[in-house]
Each structure stands twice: as C-alpha cells, then as structure tokens.
Amino acid sequence: MSLEIRDLNKSFDRLKVLDGVSLTFEDGGVYCLMSPSGSGKTTLFRILLGLEQADSGKITGAEGKRFGVVFQEDRLCEAYTPLENVLMTADKAFTRKKAREELCRLLPEESVDRPVFTLSGGMKRRTAICRALLAPCDVFLMDEPFTGLDEDTRLEVIRYIKEKTEGRTVILSTHQEEDVEALGARLVRFG
C-alpha cells in the first residue's frame, strides 16, 4: 500500500509551514524531496514519524510500517562506539561481526570501536546512515543525509543506500539535483 498524504497543513504560531501538501509515495519507490530551506520537509518527516501533529489533513498507508530515520542531526549516543550505536537498532539477526563488516564499508576500521565523540562530523554522519539502514524497516526517511560528506564519500554512501534499501521506500530530502540521478530517484518538489 502506498503512503498517501492529503491536504496536510501545519503552522507554528502564525507561521504556516505546510500548506495543503498532497503527495503519494509508492511502496519500493525512491523519492528526493527538493524545496527551499524552511519549506517544511523536516516538519513533514516529523509528522510521518508521529513526532508532530498536523493541524489538518490525512496520512494513509503508514499503519504497520516500520520507519528508519536519518535526522538532520546525527542523534548518536556519543559515549558509545559506532558499533554499539548500530547494534542498538539493528535487526536481531545482525551479529557483532556482521555489523562491524557493514560499518567498515563506510568507515575506517580503526574508528568502529572509538567513542563517537572522537569521530569527525563525516564519520558520525556515516554511522547514523548505517544505523538507520541496518534497522528492520519498510520506509526510510532521510533528512539531508549527505551534509558534511565530500564528493567521493557521498557517492560511496549513495551506492550503499541503494544496495541496502532495494525494494523498500526511501524518501530523502536534499538540495542537490545530482542526488536525484545518483539515487535513481523521482524528484518531488513542494513548498
């Protein structure tokens, strides 16, 4: 069942952030949301996750779906290692060895067992992405996931995302047109 958003409205005080937004995301599709900063992409994600309530409108197709999330902030447990962060949310079938192998695809091996607070911003970002992708999910929401990544790393992470999300729904916000093509995504503009 597709994820359908109909006439969604949200204001904060008198500032209208979402104004009659209607979108459809087919199961297994990859979508890049592009719109100006402040146009409500993050608010839309927060409503889909149940972290905010819409003022009006309707969302269907989210019932029973498990969401994996990459927030704009990495939201990692800083005192824990990348391995420990990933194992907190990974599918129970993931052993420490398998989780380590996955992390080493995105991070230098010596960083996997260091506390997150000692890592660079780009390493933290890749840890957050790996954590989301290894969780048992049907839909992935990624809010500007490539922030802080250099071009080569961004392309490597895009390949990893494509591999790990095959057949599942991905909704990703970005400001980069090239991300749409690299992900093989459908472009969705609003706001």
Side-chain angles (χ1 to χ4, degrees):
M1 173 186 232
S2 59
L3 186 58
E4 302 226 2
I5 298 162
R6 290 290 164 255
D7 200 27
L8 208 63
N9 294 283
K10 177 67 178 176
S11 296
F12 294 99
D13 294 321
R14 292 199 176 120
L15 176 65
K16 192 142 197 140
V17 178
L18 297 174
D19 188 6
V21 173
S22 292
L23 302 167
T24 300
F25 302 105
E26 298 293 333
D27 282 351
V30 180
Y31 301 87
C32 282
L33 300 182
M34 290 187 77
S35 59
S37 292
S39 62
K41 297 180 298 290
T42 297
T43 300
L44 176 64
F45 284 172
R46 290 180 58 79
I47 291 170
L48 286 170
L49 293 167
L51 300 173
E52 295 279 351
Q53 292 296 313
D55 299 331
S56 63
K58 186 174 183 178
I59 297 172
T60 56
E63 311 80 27
K65 285 195 166 85
R66 299 166 301 174
F67 287 83
V69 186
V70 177
F71 292 97
Q72 278 188 358
E73 318 80 32
D74 296 318
R75 296 197 184 187
L76 300 168
C77 294
E78 293 274 326
Y80 288 54
T81 67
L83 182 60
E84 291 165 330
N85 271 275
V86 165
L87 287 171
M88 277 185 227
T89 61
D91 189 300
K92 297 304 175 213
F94 267 89
T95 61
R96 287 181 75 81
K97 181 177 186 269
K98 180 64 177 159
R100 175 183 296 282
E101 287 170 5
E102 293 295 330
L103 275 163
C104 287
R105 293 180 61 190
L106 295 179
L107 294 171
E109 188 170 1
E110 65 275 6
S111 66
V112 172
D113 295 308
R114 288 176 25 205
V116 166
F117 71 82
T118 67
L119 302 180
S120 71
M123 288 178 174
K124 290 178 183 180
R125 198 71 185 141
R126 286 175 274 166
T127 300
I129 290 167
C130 189
R131 181 184 60 185
L133 295 176
L134 297 183
C137 300
D138 308 301
V139 179
F140 295 94
L141 302 179
M142 299 184 172
D143 200 354
E144 299 184 28
F146 310 126
T147 301
L149 301 182
D150 64 57
E151 184 63 18
D152 289 342
T153 304
R154 185 180 70 81
L155 292 173
E156 183 182 330
V157 168
I158 285 173
R159 281 192 294 275
Y160 189 74
I161 288 171
K162 286 172 70 172
E163 175 191 323
K164 292 296 173 189
T165 62
E166 189 172 346
R168 295 184 281 175
T169 307
V170 178
I171 307 169
L172 182 145
S173 70
T174 182
H175 293 287
Q176 307 296 320
E177 293 270 356
E178 57 269 18
D179 293 341
V180 180
E181 186 177 338
L183 284 159
R186 294 178 221 171
L187 176 60
V188 177
R189 293 187 189 273
F190 76 94

